[in-house]
Amino acid sequence: MIYPTALVTGGSRGIGKAIVQQLFEQGYNVAINYFRSETCAVELAAALNKHSLGNKAIAICADVSNASQVEIMFEETKKHLGTVSLLVNNTGISQQKLFTDITEAEWDTMFAVNIKSMFLCCRQALTDMIHNKNGKIINISSMWGQVGASCEVHYSASKAGIIGMTKTGAKELGKRGITVNAVAPGFIDTDMTAALTETAKNAALGSIPMGRMGTPENVAKAVAFLAGEDAGYITGQVLAVDGGMSM
Ligand code: NAP
């Protein structure tokens, strides 16, 4: 049996980990990209392989904001799992700071990790996807890229840029058999939101119509839908997974 191959960036923890688990369960070979959390990624791959029905998971280290590391990551994935037909650009960092306190270096790091990384990964994946006239790209944006978050101008702007990149990709690649979509999570229970102050958490919770945080699995299910056959004619869209928070 031939299993399709997915690469998930930032798959070691949080939303990325849930996406890895969901896709593996659905029969994908999965390349789990990590940067600093080696143990988490290696243990995740081992746990998945232990109960596999034939598909495989591997952990691959790469700083996805670095072009040569991204190139090697795709070479390794192809060597061990085959050509990537599903790319999930999930990696992201956040920071809460006043507009006027953000340094140039912080702005550059935010854009390098959150959006340049997506360009670098798409560029690598697209060579084979275009050749095969088949591929799906799913970018993890954020509701803050649509509505703007106070004290997160660099984060919000990078997430808005991802939406622009998604729509551009959909227009340019549609005739090549490739769909490009984005998922925009709201307030999801991960290490990223655990780092917020209690005041910020309570303010966010108070503005969610469904009255609770989302889970990484809620986001993973949306990604799995966009990756599946049922979403075959959907491209250039931004699917909100936010309990109604962005309405
Ligand atoms: P998280 O728990 O902080 O996990 C971040 C992931 O990104 C980790 O797996 C981390 O890997 C990886 N990463 C960071 N820098 C990297 C780099 N340079 N190269 C490769 N991987 C890197 O975050 P999360 O909450 O799961 O967020 C996942 C995505 O959802 C992000 O794009 C985030 O902006 C978006 N999002 C989250 C929320 C939320 O409420 N949580 C809301 C909206 C959007 P290592 O640990 O291995 O370094």
Side-chain angles (χ1 to χ4, degrees), residues 10 12-13 15 35-37 63-64 90 155 159 186 188 190:
S12 53
R13 297 184 285 118
I15 291 170
F35 183 31
R36 294 190 177 88
S37 305
D63 172 358
V64 290
N90 162 76
Y155 180 77
K159 292 294 177 179
I188 311 296
T190 68

Side-chain angles (χ1 to χ4, degrees), residues 197-244:
T197 62
E198 282 307 308
T199 315
K201 278 187 215 172
N202 289 333
L205 275 173
S207 61
I208 304 173
M210 288 185 72
R212 61 172 173 84
M213 291 181 94
T215 65
E217 291 71 27
N218 291 147
V219 182
K221 295 272 184 201
V223 170
F225 165 69
L226 290 171
E229 282 308 310
D230 290 345
Y233 196 55
I234 297 176
T235 195
Q237 302 305 305
V238 184
L239 179 53
V241 183
D242 63 6

Side-chain angles (χ1 to χ4, degrees), residues 56-93:
K56 274 201 300 187
I58 58 169
I60 304 187
C61 181
D63 172 358
V64 290
S65 65
N66 179 300
S68 54
Q69 291 186 33
V70 167
E71 194 177 342
I72 293 167
M73 174 173 76
F74 273 83
E75 283 168 8
E76 287 295 304
T77 303
K78 195 168 182 172
K79 189 165 113 192
H80 295 286
L81 301 179
T83 300
V84 172
S85 60
L86 169 62
L87 168 64
V88 184
N89 284 311
N90 162 76
T91 290
I93 54 171

